Amino acid sequence: MTTGKLYIVPTPIGNLEDMTFRALRVLQEVECIVAEDTRHTGILAAHYGIKRPMLSFNDHNSSRRLPELLARLQQGERLALVTDAGTPGISDPGLPLLQAVIAQGIALEVLPGASAVVTALSGSGFSLARFVFEGFLPRKGRQRQERLAALVAEERTVVIYESPLRMAQTLTDLQALGCGERPAVVARELTKHYESWHRGSVSELAELFHSNPHKGEMVLVLRGQEAALPCEEQGRELLGQLLTTNLALGQAARQAARVSGVSRNRLYQMALQKRQAEQHAEEEEEGSARLQSLPESGEDPSLGSESADG
Ligand code: SAM
């Protein structure tokens, strides 16, 4: 029996131009659009001239709706899963349907598209080599404190979804955990008319959001904690001590690297430079000692012997 297919379809997070051609085609072709809120998606669909049947699927009705949706997929229907904004499943409903589809071997097609997490990261200016997405934090209690403490210790760039009502408090909580100086960004109303980016330290942003509460949707991006720098000064000192012993340069560099955390290569270069500087100083000393032992130029006997009138 041929089965249908589930399409995961991202929708704009504000700017309606951020809908892809592919997303529009899929929404026009499917038998049914499965929406977090059919009224919300209805407005979106009307904007693009899409007229397809819709069914709601959200945290309130997912267990009731799931069997019906799976049955429709088994009967060969194509369904498109959308949420109110952005990518389904990212702090949004959809996971139980996706898991059931995977478990039952039903065909799946995933479309890439808008999401606030990637948009905020892209403009944050922080390293994107490694990042973590926290989504929404627990609102209170021990769990919230533990999560915040883990985020403060995080070396990767951190992305947090936060409501405008709690942004100031979250920034203050982060500050209280000792990362007041840490650079952060609040990206507000992304892709919309009043989009704004607020950049500063956690303390500065806490003050800004306390004194001037902002409305709208927000993402907080926190630069990761910088890894403790290897202590170069300690490495240099230790190397100096080791070089006064009989150790070869390479061995001294290796031992100093093990203790200080500075790279062995870097320490080896330092050791070489130190040796060369010492040799140079020695040669100069020898040179000036030789010069001092010479007689004054006027009394040079060799000059006398070469004298034209000699
Ligand atoms: N699925 C969505 C996505 O892919 O980004 C996220 C949905 S979640 C229910 C809503 C949260 O996402 C908001 O509270 C906010 O933190 C963030 N968000 C969504 N749209 C945003 C926008 N235009 N600007 C800033 N943050 C946004």
Side-chain angles (χ1 to χ4, degrees):
M1 183 175 74
T2 56
T3 65
K5 190 187 256 189
L6 177 72
Y7 295 85
I8 309 279
V9 183
T11 54
I13 56 169
N15 189 325
L16 295 179
E17 288 177 353
D18 293 336
M19 193 74 175
T20 67
F21 291 120
R22 187 174 167 203
L24 288 174
R25 178 183 56 75
V26 167
L27 292 184
Q28 268 150 358
E29 285 177 2
V30 291
E31 274 71 43
C32 181
I33 297 173
V34 179
E36 176 181 4
D37 180 336
T38 52
R39 284 162 304 176
H40 189 103
T41 302
I43 297 168
L44 194 78
H47 176 84
Y48 299 116
I50 294 166
K51 296 187 183 107
R52 304 307 302 150
M54 281 189 206
L55 265 183
S56 70
F57 184 77
N58 49 47
D59 294 341
H60 308 294
N61 68 4
S62 60
S63 47
R64 180 161 46 87
R65 258 298 132 74
L66 196 56
E68 177 190 345
L69 295 176
L70 290 173
R72 291 177 76 149
L73 286 164
Q74 294 290 6
Q75 283 156 20
E77 282 194 21
R78 292 161 299 172
L79 305 181
L81 176 68
V82 302
T83 54
D84 288 354
T87 299
I90 300 190
S91 298
D92 262 350
L95 188 63
L97 177 59
L98 178 63
Q99 286 178 335
V101 159
I102 294 170
Q104 298 197 11
I106 295 168
L108 175 69
E109 196 169 314
V110 182
L111 280 65
S115 185
V117 46
V118 174
T119 312
L121 274 170
S122 304
S124 69
F126 301 144
S127 169
L128 303 184
R130 299 189 305 151
F131 55 83
V132 281
F133 175 57
E134 178 63 24
F136 289 102
L137 285 161
R139 289 194 191 173
K140 49 190 173 197
R142 216 180 87 196
Q143 229 194 346
R144 176 178 168 89
Q145 281 314 308
E146 283 173 3
R147 295 273 277 278
L148 281 167
L151 294 179
V152 166
E154 181 57 64
E155 285 181 8
R156 294 166 290 184
T157 300
V158 173
V159 191
I160 301 169
Y161 280 173
E162 192 51 284
S163 93
L165 297 175
R166 279 185 296 275
M167 181 58 83
Q169 188 56 50
T170 294
L171 287 162
T172 306
D173 289 350
L174 287 167
Q175 187 182 2
L177 285 164
C179 74
E181 298 299 309
R182 187 90 58 86
V185 177
V186 175
R188 205 186 125 261
E189 294 288 83
L190 289 166
T191 78
K192 301 183 197 174
H193 187 67
Y194 292 107
E195 170 173 332
S196 60
W197 293 76
H198 306 269
R199 302 173 195 274
S201 68
V202 166
S203 307
E204 286 165 347
L205 290 173
E207 200 183 315
L208 174 74
F209 279 82
H210 271 296
S211 60
N212 182 12
H214 291 62
K215 291 184 182 151
E217 294 190 287
M218 299 176 187
V219 181
L220 171 61
V221 188
L222 188 67
R223 200 205 62 195
Q225 167 173 243
E226 281 180 338
L229 290 174
C231 183
E232 187 152 324
E233 219 24 69
Q234 188 197 359
R236 190 190 296 278
E237 242 179 66
L238 191 59
L239 183 71
Q241 288 164 14
L242 290 169
L243 287 176
T244 60
T245 67
N246 284 336
L247 280 182
L249 290 194
Q251 283 175 312
R254 196 176 311 119
Q255 287 200 16
R258 206 177 297 138
V259 176
S260 67
V262 179
S263 91
R264 183 156 63 97
N265 231 342
R266 170 99 189 95
L267 287 165
Y268 187 70
Q269 292 307 319
M270 278 188 207
L272 265 183
Q273 280 168 8
K274 192 169 158 54
R275 269 288 147 82
Q276 281 164 0
E278 282 167 356
Q279 273 170 8
H280 188 72
E282 266 174 34
E283 283 165 13
E284 271 194 344
E285 232 169 75
E286 275 175 28
S288 74
R290 218 179 308 123
L291 273 178
Q292 277 170 18
S293 67
L294 286 176
E296 296 280 331
S297 62
E299 298 165 12
D300 189 339
S302 64
L303 281 179
S305 67
E306 280 178 14
S307 159
D309 39 36

